[in-house]
């Protein structure tokens, strides 16, 4: 193997499967860079919402994607995301942005506009790439491909606990419905639908702790806890 090439580990899966936390843990453990590809789709959605662009207009949204002025400022375990110089780290996590991101992520022109930008994250010593199509489309030659999943109910329950802890009143039934809607849209789009790569290792975390999942991930990449 050519040791001058960065190692790429892809982590795909549906919303709420713990990919964000676990990708961050794996990046800290390995010392590799981290690509949060969902943040890119969220940034395009936020930029479109801010500029009043019609989200149904694929070409205009794709133009925003190809000219996105974004900086990921990494400091230790913390990443600050700047959109045209403004800190949008929290703003891109709002529910309205989640829904808009899911809509614009279905556009082939938007996905094409973001493809090269994502590949540029693969630099030495390596990359942990978190998303939906990292192993299938963006990094098909990745050394290790992981697919993290969990039942919709388990994912909704985790999200419920996070939101309640933040003081956001939410209904469990509406969270489950939102997750199912987003899964449906992410899995059924024509381009790069959410699905495990043929050579992916699937980890179902429905009844596992985060530590148990992390141990499985380390075993998959050939390390021991
Ligand atoms: O992982 P996330 O919730 O931050 O992703 C936001 C949206 O972007 C979600 O609807 C799925 C979509 N997405 C995608 O289509 N492809 C990716 N590689 C990452 C995210």
């Amino acid at each position: 193997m050519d040791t001058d090439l960065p190692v790429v580990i892809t982590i795909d899966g549906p919303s709420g499967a713990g990919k964000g936390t676990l990708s961050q843990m794996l990046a800290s453990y390995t010392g590799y860079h981290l690509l949060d590809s969902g943040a890119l789709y969220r940034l395009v959605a936020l930029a479109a919402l801010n500029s009043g662009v019609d989200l149904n207009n694929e070409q205009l949204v794709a133009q925003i994607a190809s000219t996105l002025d974004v900086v990921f400022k990494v400091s230790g375990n913390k990443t600050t995301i700047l959109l045209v110089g403004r800190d949008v780290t929290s703003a891109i996590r709002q529910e309205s942005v989640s829904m808009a991101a899911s809509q614009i992520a279905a556009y082939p022109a938007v996905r094409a506009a973001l493809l090269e930008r994502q590949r540029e994250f693969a630099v030495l010593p390596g990359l942990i790439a978190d998303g939906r199509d990292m192993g299938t489309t963006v990094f098909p030659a990745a050394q290790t491909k992981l697919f993290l999943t969990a039942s919709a109910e388990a994912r909704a329950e985790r999200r419920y606990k996070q939101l309640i802890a933040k003081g956001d009143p939410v209904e469990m039934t509406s969270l489950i419905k939102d997750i199912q809607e987003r899964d449906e849209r992410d899995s059924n789009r024509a381009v790069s639908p959410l699905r495990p790569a043929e050579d992916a290792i699937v980890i179902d975390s429905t009844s596992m702790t985060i530590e148990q999942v992390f141990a499985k991930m380390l075993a998959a990449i050939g390390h021991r806890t």
Side-chain angles (χ1 to χ4, degrees):
M1 191 162 76
D2 188 338
T3 50
D4 288 328
L5 289 176
V7 174
V8 177
I9 298 171
T10 58
I11 305 183
D12 291 305
S15 311
K19 294 188 311 292
T21 307
L22 286 153
S23 298
Q24 180 66 66
M25 285 166 74
L26 198 56
S28 301
Y29 182 89
T30 54
Y32 293 170
H33 302 277
L34 178 64
L35 165 61
D36 173 3
S37 61
L40 287 173
Y41 290 94
R42 288 171 179 274
L43 283 157
V44 173
L46 181 65
L49 291 170
N50 284 348
S51 58
V53 161
D54 177 3
L55 292 183
N56 295 310
N57 188 327
E58 176 171 353
Q59 290 316 317
L60 280 184
V61 179
Q63 206 175 328
I64 289 181
S66 59
T67 54
L68 203 62
D69 175 1
V70 56
V71 174
F72 289 85
K73 251 175 57 183
V74 182
S75 162
N77 277 352
K78 197 170 170 282
T79 302
T80 305
I81 304 174
L82 304 176
L83 179 63
V84 203
R86 196 167 65 87
D87 184 349
V88 294
T89 317
S90 313
I92 61 163
R93 304 289 159 198
Q94 292 163 5
E95 276 309 301
S96 55
V97 178
S98 303
M99 280 299 165
S102 172
Q103 181 182 347
I104 60 97
Y107 296 148
V110 170
R111 304 198 73 85
L114 293 180
L115 193 58
E116 269 319 302
R117 201 186 274 261
Q118 295 175 83
R119 288 184 175 152
E120 284 165 8
F121 279 80
V123 289
L124 288 169
L127 179 70
I128 308 297
D130 162 359
R132 303 291 190 286
D133 61 341
M134 299 294 99
T136 51
T137 305
V138 183
F139 300 109
Q143 283 84 346
T144 307
K145 298 179 185 178
L146 303 172
F147 191 88
L148 289 189
T149 188
S151 69
E153 290 73 16
R155 289 182 282 131
E157 198 177 319
R158 289 172 196 166
R159 183 85 187 118
Y160 180 80
K161 285 182 183 154
Q162 281 172 354
L163 290 171
I164 292 294
K166 277 205 296 181
D168 281 354
V170 276
E171 290 275 339
M172 196 52 189
T173 43
S174 81
L175 277 182
I176 295 179
K177 192 169 149 280
D178 282 358
I179 283 190
Q180 284 170 336
E181 255 178 43
R182 217 175 310 164
D183 281 359
E184 174 86 11
R185 199 153 19 175
D186 292 345
S187 307
N188 292 322
R189 65 176 173 233
V191 180
S192 287
L194 169 67
R195 63 174 171 79
E198 272 175 22
D199 49 349
I201 297 165
V202 178
I203 303 176
D204 184 336
S205 72
T206 302
S207 43
M208 286 165 83
T209 64
I210 208 113
E211 291 75 21
Q212 289 170 326
V213 180
F214 190 58
K216 276 216 172 222
M217 290 168 67
L218 290 183
I221 66 169
H223 289 252
R224 294 275 166 261
T225 37

